[in-house]
Amino acid sequence: MENKYDGNANVRNMAKIAVNGMNINYEKAGSGSSVALCMPGAMGSALTDFGAQLKSLACPELTLVAWDPPGYGQSRPPARQFPPTFFKDDALAAAELMKTLGYDRYHVLGWSDGGNSAVILAALRPQSVTKLVIWGANAYVGDKDQELYEALRDIDKWSARMKAPMIEMYGEEYFRSTWNAWIDGISAFKDIENGVCRKETREVRCPTLVVHGAKDAMVPPEHPEYFKQHIPDARLHVFPEGKHNLHMKYADEFNKLVRDFLAE
């Protein structure tokens, strides 16, 4: 296990652990008895997606565990696959990770794809998930969503700022092929009655904070409204200027919002 310190002198541990026969990479920060699992978005990892939370949300009262799902980040091999169950597969792998690390009860913070899997995890493990925070998530795939995904398929049309971190982490060949596979995988949910997690959304029993950026170009506002209406104990908080990565650009405000919610 590698130890390092962030700017707040917060100890951060990066390690790998065997989960379901795979070596899963995770990063842990903070030392509190209250624990939260951070679930990243598509092609994301603990460090690319949750650096600002590991640095400033984790504290003596709150421990954060951020992971790289199988096939993402440093949790390779295996190569990433997108079967019809990939959101559920990530949810179950995350639950097994927390069990292996010795955590029986924990909060879950899920961004984008990680938010979808977080909803499923909360529904499948109500005895474990105590509070849920999701942003940039979607319970189904509609026509507008599919149009947005297709518009992002060709990474040659991305800005250098957007694709450089992914190419640095994965290499261009793996990133290009895996991203195309993700577009196909997420689009397939459009033809499924349950969508991504409609049924599981209604089965979440823990208090839930749904966060949305009003300028999110990836997630139309109907999705956070859907979660608010169908998760029994949910509230919605909108960042008027927030985009898809609002937890990065508005890290201080986001971290305070989450900290206050988890402390209630």
Side-chain angles (χ1 to χ4, degrees):
M1 178 177 288
E2 178 184 344
N3 293 339
K4 53 189 175 181
Y5 296 84
D6 65 20
N8 293 332
N10 190 33
V11 178
R12 290 166 56 177
N13 301 317
M14 183 169 62
K16 288 192 175 185
I17 192 168
V19 177
N20 295 336
M22 298 175 289
N23 286 324
I24 296 298
N25 186 71
Y26 70 96
E27 179 139 351
K28 185 166 70 171
S31 54
S33 57
S34 179
V35 180
L37 168 66
C38 299
M39 303 185 68
M43 302 290 299
S45 67
L47 291 182
T48 59
D49 290 10
F50 293 109
Q53 283 64 54
L54 290 163
K55 180 179 180 180
S56 301
L57 179 58
C59 62
E61 294 75 37
L62 178 65
T63 296
L64 292 187
V65 176
W67 77 318
D68 300 357
Y72 287 167
Q74 300 305 311
S75 293
R76 294 176 289 147
R80 181 68 184 196
Q81 302 294 323
F82 299 96
T85 57
F86 78 87
F87 286 119
K88 183 178 179 180
D89 293 344
D90 280 355
L92 292 174
E96 191 63 25
L97 168 67
M98 296 303 278
K99 179 180 177 181
T100 304
L101 292 175
Y103 298 118
D104 296 322
R105 290 175 61 78
Y106 46 88
H107 313 303
V108 179
L109 315 181
W111 176 46
S112 199
D113 269 21
N116 303 345
S117 291
V119 170
I120 296 172
L121 174 54
L124 293 177
R125 296 289 187 272
Q127 74 280 11
S128 296
V129 179
T130 48
K131 287 187 178 180
L132 178 64
V133 182
I134 57 173
W135 65 106
N138 54 295
Y140 54 89
V141 174
D143 291 337
K144 178 62 175 177
D145 303 299
Q146 195 166 28
E147 290 175 11
L148 292 171
Y149 302 148
E150 284 299 330
L152 290 171
R153 184 185 287 274
D154 186 358
I155 66 170
D156 292 330
K157 296 179 180 179
W158 291 25
S159 68
R161 180 182 60 83
M162 282 182 63
K163 65 184 178 183
M166 292 298 183
I167 292 176
E168 180 180 355
M169 180 163 57
Y170 293 113
E172 184 170 345
E173 182 179 355
Y174 185 88
F175 173 47
R176 187 182 296 273
S177 62
T178 307
W179 180 250
N180 268 281
W182 178 81
I183 297 288
D184 292 339
I186 187 73
S187 297
F189 285 96
K190 185 173 182 295
D191 299 321
I192 298 175
E193 182 178 356
N194 189 46
V196 173
C197 57
R198 280 191 174 103
K199 174 178 175 290
E200 291 84 356
T201 295
R202 296 188 294 271
E203 295 173 350
V204 173
R205 292 294 176 263
C206 62
T208 299
L209 174 63
V210 181
V211 184
H212 181 63
K215 296 185 177 180
D216 189 336
M218 281 288 293
V219 180
E222 67 190 74
H223 291 293
E225 287 291 342
Y226 183 93
F227 285 121
K228 178 188 175 184
Q229 292 172 12
H230 291 87
I231 294 176
D233 185 8
R235 69 185 76 166
L236 173 61
H237 182 96
V238 176
F239 281 67
E241 299 298 317
K243 297 182 180 179
H244 196 57
N245 64 344
L246 61 88
H247 65 299
M248 301 176 188
K249 186 169 184 179
Y250 300 101
D252 291 343
E253 184 180 350
F254 176 85
N255 289 348
K256 183 181 186 305
L257 177 71
V258 172
R259 186 182 298 113
D260 291 347
F261 173 69
L262 297 183
E264 290 178 1

